[in-house]
Amino acid sequence: MKKPPSGLITALKESNNLLVLTGAGMSAESGVPTFRDAQTGLWEKFRPEDLATPEAFRDQPQVVWDWYAERRTRISTISPHPGHAALVEMEQYFECFMLVTQNVDSLHQQAGSKNVIELHGNIMRSVCSRTGKAIDDEWIAASNDRPPLSPHHPSGLARPGVVWFGEELPTGTMNRATAAALDCDICFSIGTSTLVQPAASLPFVALDAGATVVEINPQPTRLSSAAHFSLRATAASSLPVIAAALAGYKRA
Ligand code: APR
């Protein structure tokens, strides 16, 4: 994208409160494999939807642990792209800026974003399967078990600190994200199909509450026709252009 729509820059200029929702498309441009892309080699015979569930972990904890271990290893070699950096830059221009991500790879935080809500958790963290309490990296590294036993409960195991299919999001995080959607002046929906609930509801909540909604996605989604601006572009090609245009106004 060479130039953002002028109406979008005007709207951003007049706004104090920005909400950004990101999904897998944001990370894909850094090379983070989506669930489907990750099904190579040993994992080809497994369906991701069958691995990322509490039932799979109960029935085959080692298989699920090993699958996540491989994803962690791949993600740890990946860096944020210019779209992540543009969101860091934009954060400083608004009184309120909330970044709600469905991604579990920490790329926003790695880039430097401060006000981030991880709706689906974080793949780099481990928690006790019985209590949900965080388990230190040192404890995990010191164990030869796959998965390691939990230090917090006699029958607990370490599990990835992510929200699995069929699990509820922690109420606090979704409440904070919904409050941000109700309050924002502008809501960006970036790299998400807006299909997976409850995250998918957030741009629609913002829309109903009167916010300007901006979608960035190379493909149309069910949000596209409702959004005020639907940019058919990738995150890394469009966000730096928007941040640069905004810098001219906000810094003036
Ligand atoms: N820039 C912007 N959007 C992109 C890009 C890109 N470079 N590449 C792909 N996309 C778009 C795709 O067109 C698609 O609409 O990103 C979207 C990704 O959609 P999903 O794979 O459904 O991802 P998401 O919406 O984040 O799914 C939510 O489902 O897979 C589970 O738990 C996982 O958090 C994830 C949740």
Side-chain angles (χ1 to χ4, degrees):
M1 194 175 75
K2 290 206 177 91
K3 216 171 147 215
S6 61
L8 171 57
I9 296 303
T10 307
L12 282 166
K13 199 178 134 191
E14 290 165 358
S15 301
N16 291 320
N17 191 331
L18 203 71
L19 168 67
V20 177
L21 171 69
T22 65
M26 184 83 202
S27 294
E29 228 168 341
S30 276
V32 175
T34 63
F35 269 18
R36 300 246 153 255
D37 293 340
Q39 299 312 93
T40 54
L42 280 177
W43 302 106
E44 267 171 13
K45 60 181 190 292
F46 293 97
R47 285 187 345 129
E49 301 87 331
D50 295 339
L51 290 171
T53 67
E55 293 76 24
F57 188 70
R58 185 194 59 212
D59 298 342
Q60 298 181 286
Q62 187 176 329
V63 171
V64 173
W65 181 261
D66 287 352
W67 185 59
Y68 275 96
E70 190 182 288
R71 286 180 70 80
R72 278 182 188 180
T73 305
R74 288 177 71 176
I75 285 171
S76 64
T77 63
I78 284 170
S79 304
H81 58 66
H84 291 101
L87 289 177
V88 178
E89 188 182 339
M90 284 164 69
E91 183 160 2
Q92 64 181 312
Y93 299 141
F94 297 89
E95 268 172 41
C96 287
F97 181 100
M98 177 78 79
L99 204 169
V100 177
T101 187
Q102 299 166 84
N103 302 333
V104 295
D105 49 38
S106 304
L107 285 178
H108 288 299
Q109 292 93 325
Q110 214 180 304
S113 286
K114 302 263 179 337
N115 212 5
V116 181
I117 293 181
E118 294 177 309
L119 273 189
H120 294 168
N122 188 314
I123 197 171
M124 298 303 176
R125 287 199 286 269
S126 301
V127 298
C128 170
S129 62
R130 297 298 296 264
T131 66
K133 279 191 192 160
I135 301 178
D136 292 344
D137 293 344
E138 293 73 28
W139 174 274
I140 301 292
S143 172
N144 289 323
D145 297 320
R146 306 190 338 253
L149 300 174
S150 167
H152 301 306
H153 192 282
S155 60
L157 297 173
R159 57 159 280 184
V162 299
V163 178
W164 280 328
F165 291 108
E167 288 185 322
E168 302 237 327
L169 269 56
T171 28
T173 49
M174 192 57 203
N175 288 347
R176 282 172 61 215
T178 305
L182 286 168
D183 278 353
C184 68
D185 302 319
I186 301 194
C187 171
F188 277 79
S189 177
I190 306 170
T192 172
S193 56
T194 50
L195 287 176
V196 178
Q197 295 293 358
S201 67
L202 293 170
F204 293 95
V205 169
L207 202 59
D208 287 347
T212 298
V213 171
V214 186
E215 178 178 62
I216 296 179
N217 196 317
Q219 303 295 331
T221 73
R222 68 189 193 104
L223 177 66
S224 303
S225 57
H228 297 87
F229 298 93
S230 189
L231 310 182
R232 289 284 153 270
T234 72
S237 69
S238 59
L239 286 168
V241 179
I242 294 170
L246 196 56
Y249 287 111
K250 294 279 183 181
R251 281 196 192 128

